[in-house]
Structure formats: structure tokens, C-alpha cells
């Protein structure tokens, strides 16, 4: 008996139709964005036609922050780091007189972050390195299970976009392999992406610190070093895609200029392509920001999307609900 | 309709037995090695028992050189590089007076390689960098389609081990995801591993050069730089596994001291584990080498395998055939 590989139900039953014959995207309004997505999936799954793409090549890549979950008032991973500084401060008496920690421990986040990238780098490295990969995994799992968003008071994993969850499931039902390609930390995402998005650890691409194999008395460990390994952002995204996936995606989803090169790389392949930006236009249900935002800026990307005819999702008008909890 | 995931046929039909009820490993003699493999697969697939491992966690990693295909008289990738030097020499008039190229172009391979690692580094970088990823992919595809082994005169992709092909298929039929974790170049393997081993590009981990995203007039490219990105060997293997897969394997297969840390990392996890070395003991049908070999040395690994009770395959006595072409 041979291995059964991932199958498209439509193909399984000898049909040329994509899966989810009912409404695959119930939280999407019937606007152009949804029509473009459905038309693309129908095109690449219709065997015997020029647009058909074999299952093995149906690679879809998704940014995470601002594309699959929210990213305001700041990246959730930074909120994790800020909280973590407080948690481990007792082990760091020297932080009493060392910026950005002094400000942070006084509750002055603005003051701490005023130090810009070097300050953020210190906060991230002091909270993301110096432990084993197994220890960090557990730290993230504990945080994600209980930490709450400062504005909505929801768990962070509740602040994922219901329409994007449907899109992930729809693509997978049609033979796509879905990947995350995020500027966020690869080991910050892996502990929860399978449960929340259905994306297993081996399909998560992200930024990373260097790690080092060590044989300790209790056994081998991988130690997380306070040294940047890879930055999976902007021009780094196609690099990360090639390194981890080794094939060019046929569909890519982002929300900011940090995703622009991923979409360019995706668009440059032969055959049908779907390049999509989520545009944060809904100040009431979520947040509204684009060209001027320091978090998730969408400026050049918006221009290029318009010039090249990529899909831009208007969250306010294209999505019936934002978060899964709105449905309940 | 929901996504159908990879299913174990045994599970599909409500049985607790592993797939391949007949003989899953026909090219293996009925010795201890085969029995250990089958017992392990039966253990991890038997639902409701303490040794059961969910499908998502059935990760198996395979070294390539000397584990899935041969590696004598030298690594095939080095033979590729040596051949490539000759091919592109006309574009490099300066090589006439530059070692190790001068020796190589005179046909003096020994003399060229006498320069040790720096010489090999120059040969590798001059043939593996300076082009786009798409160009390198095509170069490898062309080579692998026609180049022949200096001793057997076979295509390199014919010099894969039939018993290991059966093992790959057997594991996959039982819900395993099979990965290559090799010291060889990730982009040297990806162009042919899917066809030869059934392992898709996104499941190949290897050494790499750095790459750079560039927007050219004809579109975006990834340029291969003459700079080491990652060395996926020895203590680098657990690092590569964590970076690419993000979970610890439950089974690992190697043949040299370069695989030792991968096996240590695998063995250190909780639950059933299978750690296996292929021992090259068959001078007649393949090659015989271990503790003293400069290629694929198996010395510390052999000691540790004995001390820890890992499986050591004796190619001469455990395998009925070595290469697929012997069966014809």
C-alpha cells in the first residue's frame, strides 16, 4: 500500500471543482477581494486547463502581524518582551540603573522605547536569549495561555482575523500548503501556530537568534544566543522563503511594506498568482492605519498594489467580522 | 468539507496495524536491524498504547551522503564542483595561474585538493556562488541528468540505496514526515530529491551560502553570494533541525560522525526513538570504510552507538541489494 498524500477532495471524487462548494469564506462580503480569491483557487485547481497548478506547487505564504492577527498598539511580541522584563527583573538587579530597563521597570514604556532600535534590541535580546529552546518554548506557551491585550483585554490568540482563518482553511482544502513568513520570531510563533492557525512548526518562517548545540550533564540542549541569526523582513522574506521552502509561492498575503518583497517575489513567477494586502481601514472594529503608521506601515506597498493590480482587502467593507469572538 | 490531512492507511481503515502488512522492507534481510525498525514503527503507530506518537510528531530525519546515496571516492557534490570548474574555466582566464584551479585544469585533482579546506572552499564558492538561485537550480538539474560516477559509470541518482528508499516509503506510509538533514548544499539537493526520494524541497535541510534579494530590470532575483550562510554538519545538524523543522525528530538516520549530534538530539527526546547508523561494510557491492576514512568517517559514532544500543546496519549482511539497478 502506498502513502496517501494530502488530497484535494474535489480531485478525490473526480471533480474539477474546488472544495468548499457552499461558501468557503462566510465572513467575507461578496466584494471584489473575495471574488478574486475564489477565482484564483478555481483556476489553479481546474485540471487540464492552462492555469492548473499541481498540488506540490500550491505554496501560500502569510505574514503574521497585521495579516493573521492584530499588531496594535504595538507588535504583540514586543508586548511579550516588555512583560517579560518585569517578570525576570528580580534576576537582574543591574537593571535598576540601566536603560531602557530602568524606565520600563518604572512603568515608563514611552521613555524606554525612546531609545529606538538599540533599546528595543536590548529588550528583545534580554528576554529572548540566554535560555534553551525548550525553556523558551515553555515561556511562550505560558504567556500565550494567559496574557491579555491592553485594549481589548482578550487573549492575543483570540485577536486573529476570522476571515483569514477561513482563507487558510479554504486554501488547504484545495491542496495548498500554508506557511507563515513573518518578521516575528520563529520560536515565538511555533508554540501556538498549529493550534491557532493549523500551521505546524515546520511551516513557520521567521526571524531568529543564533542557537548553539551543547552537551550538558542532563543531555543535549540548544542554547539561544543573544545574537541575531536572521531577520525575516522586507528583502529578507524572499530569502527566508527560499531557505525554508525552496519553492516560490503562488499566493502571498501581507499587510505592510515589510511584505512587499515577498509579494514581488511571488508575483514574478510564471502562471497564476495571487498577491494580497490586508488594508487596516476599520478604526471601529479594529484599527485604521497605513502610510503614516510606525507599526505595519503600508505605503510603497499600497502604491505598488494599485500599479500592479494586486488585491487590497478593505477590512471595513470586505469583512463581515474581524475576530472569531464577534461571531459568538 | 474539511481538509483531509495525511492519513495512515491503517488508521483510515480503523486498524491498529502499520501499513505495508506484507513485507515493507523486501531488500532488507531478516536481521536485527530490520526487526528493530519494524518494531519501532509498530510501536509508534499503535493507538491507545503508551508508545503511540501522533502523526504530526512523526518526524524522521535522514542524512544524505553515505546514508541515502553513496559518497565514495569523494562527496558527489565535490565531483560536481570539480567538473563545473572545467565547464566554466573559459570564463575565468585568471585560473591559468591560480591554485587550486591551475592543477585542476591540468587534470591533477590530488594536487588541487592538497590545498585542504581553503582550496576546497575556493572550488566550491567559485562554482556555487555568483549566480541566481534559478540559474543554480538549472545547473544542478543539467548535471544530475547526465553526469556519471567515475567508478560505476552510473548516474549519481542511480547510486541511491534501495533499502533506504524502501525505508523512506515505509515510514511515510505510516504517517511520518521524512526530511533530509545533510551537510551537503541545500540547493544542490532540492532540484532532484523529490523525484529520487519523494522528499519535497521544503523538507530538505542542508548547508547554504548567503543569498541576496535584488530587483533587476527583468524582475526580482535571489543572488547566491560567495559567503557561507550555514554549515549543517555535526553540532550544526540539531541547529538546522530546530531552525527548519522546529520539532525534535523521533527517528534519525546517518552514517558518519557528522550525524552523531543529530542522533544524540533525537535520542534525548521522551518516548520511543529510533537512532540508526548505516555502516559501510561491503567492499564488493559498494565501499567499505569507517574509522579511518577521510570521507564519511564513522568512529565516535560507532562507539556511541554501541554504548547506547543504537541500531547499526551492516550493509553487507543486512541488505539484500545495495542499488536499485541490482534488482533489474
Amino acid at each position: 500500500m502506498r502513502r496517501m498524500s494530502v488530497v484535494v477532495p474535489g480531485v478525490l471524487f473526480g471533480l474539477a471543482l474546488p472544495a468548499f462548494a457552499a461558501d468557503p469564506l462566510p465572513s467575507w462580503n461578496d466584494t471584489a477581494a473575495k471574488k478574486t480569491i475564489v477565482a484564483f483557487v478555481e483556476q489553479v485547481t481546474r485540471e487540464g486547463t492552462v492555469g492548473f497548478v499541481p498540488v506540490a506547487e500550491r505554496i501560500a505564504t502569510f505574514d503574521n502581524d497585521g495579516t493573521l492577527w492584530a499588531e496594535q498598539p504595538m507588535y504583540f511580541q514586543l508586548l511579550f518582551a516588555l512583560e517579560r522584563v518585569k517578570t525576570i527583573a528580580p534576576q537582574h538587579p543591574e537593571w535598576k540603573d540601566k536603560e531602557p530597563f530602568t524606565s520600563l521597570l518604572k512603568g515608563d514604556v514611552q521613555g524606554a522605547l525612546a531609545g529606538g532600535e538599540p533599546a528595543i534590541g536590548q529588550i528583545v535580546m534580554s528576554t529572548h536569549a540566554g535560555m534553551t529552546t525548550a525553556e523558551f518554548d515553555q515561556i511562550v506557551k505560558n504567556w500565550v495561555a494567559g496574557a491579555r491585550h491592553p485594549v481589548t483585554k482578550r487573549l492575543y490568540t483570540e485577536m486573529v482575523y476570522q476571515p483569514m482563518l477561513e482563507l487558510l482553511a479554504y486554501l488547504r482544502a484545495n491542496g495548498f500548503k500554508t506557511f507563515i513568513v513573518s518578521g516575528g520570531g520563529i520560536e515565538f510563533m511555533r508554540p501556538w501556530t498549529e493550534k491557532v492557525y493549523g500551521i505546524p512548526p515546520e511551516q513557520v518562517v521567521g526571524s531568529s537568534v543564533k542557537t548553539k548545540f551543547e552537551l550538558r550533564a542532563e543531555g543535549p540542549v540548544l542554547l539561544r544566543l543573544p545574537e541575531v541569526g536572521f531577520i525575516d523582513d522586507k528583502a529578507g522574506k524572499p530569502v527566508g522563503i527560499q531557505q525554508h521552502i525552496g519553492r516560490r509561492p503562488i499566493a502571498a498575503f501581507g499587510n505592510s511594506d515589510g511584505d512587499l518583497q515577498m509579494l514581488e517575489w511571488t508575483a514574478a513567477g510564471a502562471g497564476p498568482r495571487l498577491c494580497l494586502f490586508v488594508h487596516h481601514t476599520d478604526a471601529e472594529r479594529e484599527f485604521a492605519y497605513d502610510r503614516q503608521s510606525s507599526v505595519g506601515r503600508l505605503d510603497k506597498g499600497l502604491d505598488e498594489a494599485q500599479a500592479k493590480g494586486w488585491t487590497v482587502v478593505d477590512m471595513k467593507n470586505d469583512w463581515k467580522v474581524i475576530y472569531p469572538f464577534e461571531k459568538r
Side-chain angles (χ1 to χ4, degrees), chain A:
Chain A
M1 190 172 258
R2 300 286 302 265
R3 173 201 189 196
M4 292 192 62
S5 56
V6 177
V7 288
V8 184
V11 170
L12 187 70
F13 300 113
L15 305 171
L17 296 168
F20 278 121
D23 186 352
L25 303 169
S27 297
W28 292 67
N29 285 315
D30 273 328
T31 47
K34 176 174 179 170
K35 285 178 181 139
T36 301
I37 292 168
V38 173
F40 169 77
V41 171
E42 289 181 350
Q43 182 183 23
V44 302
T45 53
R46 200 172 284 133
E47 242 173 311
T49 67
V50 66
F52 178 75
V53 176
V55 166
E57 291 165 29
R58 292 185 203 157
I59 302 289
T61 55
F62 290 80
D63 171 56
N64 184 41
D65 298 304
T67 299
L68 294 180
W69 75 355
E71 60 181 352
Q72 296 287 359
M74 62 182 86
Y75 296 122
F76 293 177
Q77 190 173 0
L78 185 54
L79 290 164
F80 159 76
L82 297 178
E83 227 172 277
R84 191 80 197 139
V85 164
K86 286 187 208 157
T87 308
I88 61 174
Q91 298 149 245
H92 293 275
E94 76 279 10
W95 283 355
K96 241 183 18 186
D97 308 302
K98 194 181 167 194
E99 288 294 354
F101 304 101
T102 316
S103 295
L104 259 189
L105 295 175
K106 280 193 232 150
D108 180 11
V109 175
Q110 293 283 58
L113 300 185
E117 280 195 21
I120 293 173
Q122 276 187 286
I123 292 166
V124 169
M125 283 305 178
S126 69
T127 52
H128 286 67
M131 69 291 279
T132 68
T133 50
E135 287 163 353
F136 188 70
D137 176 77
Q138 199 51 57
I139 289 167
V140 173
K141 278 185 180 141
N142 291 347
W143 178 80
V144 98
R148 294 195 172 259
H149 187 270
V151 178
T152 66
K153 308 297 178 197
R154 293 278 177 176
L155 294 176
Y156 290 102
T157 49
E158 290 182 292
M159 294 181 67
V160 296
Y161 303 133
Q162 174 63 27
M164 297 304 282
L165 297 181
E166 293 168 7
L167 178 54
L168 283 167
Y170 175 51
L171 290 175
R172 288 194 292 255
N174 283 284
F176 280 77
K177 212 168 194 176
T178 52
F179 289 81
I180 288 175
V181 177
S182 168
I186 190 167
E187 300 297 358
F188 176 74
M189 297 181 283
R190 281 172 163 164
W192 51 270
T193 55
E194 187 152 32
K195 200 170 149 193
V196 175
Y197 302 136
I199 297 181
E202 63 268 27
Q203 285 162 226
V204 177
V205 182
S207 298
S208 55
V209 295
K210 292 195 175 166
T211 62
K212 191 181 162 216
F213 180 80
E214 267 187 15
L215 263 183
R216 293 185 177 174
E218 74 268 24
V221 299
L222 284 168
L223 187 63
R224 292 172 57 84
L225 307 177
E227 199 182 332
V228 172
F230 181 65
I231 300 291
D232 191 51
D233 196 32
K234 299 192 171 71
K237 290 208 173 190
V239 170
I241 287 169
Q242 183 62 29
Q243 181 68 6
H244 283 257
I245 309 176
R247 320 191 203 240
R248 195 192 299 257
I250 66 167
F253 306 87
N255 79 300
S256 81
D257 287 357
D259 305 311
L260 178 53
Q261 288 85 349
M262 173 167 77
L263 269 63
E264 288 173 340
W265 179 242
T266 300
R273 303 281 140 171
L274 177 60
C275 293
L276 183 152
F277 274 124
V278 172
H279 190 189
H280 292 264
T281 52
D282 195 330
E284 208 168 299
R285 294 186 300 173
E286 203 239 4
F287 305 93
Y289 57 98
D290 49 28
R291 296 184 191 272
Q292 308 299 325
S293 179
S294 63
V295 172
R297 175 174 301 175
L298 180 62
D299 181 32
K300 287 182 193 167
L302 210 47
D303 293 338
E304 195 158 325
Q306 279 155 4
K308 297 193 170 164
W310 294 343
T311 300
V312 178
V313 167
D314 176 343
M315 284 175 78
K316 187 170 177 179
N317 293 308
D318 291 339
W319 287 0
K320 287 182 191 161
V321 298
I322 306 287
Y323 302 121
F325 55 77
E326 293 171 34
K327 289 171 64 190
R328 284 170 205 145

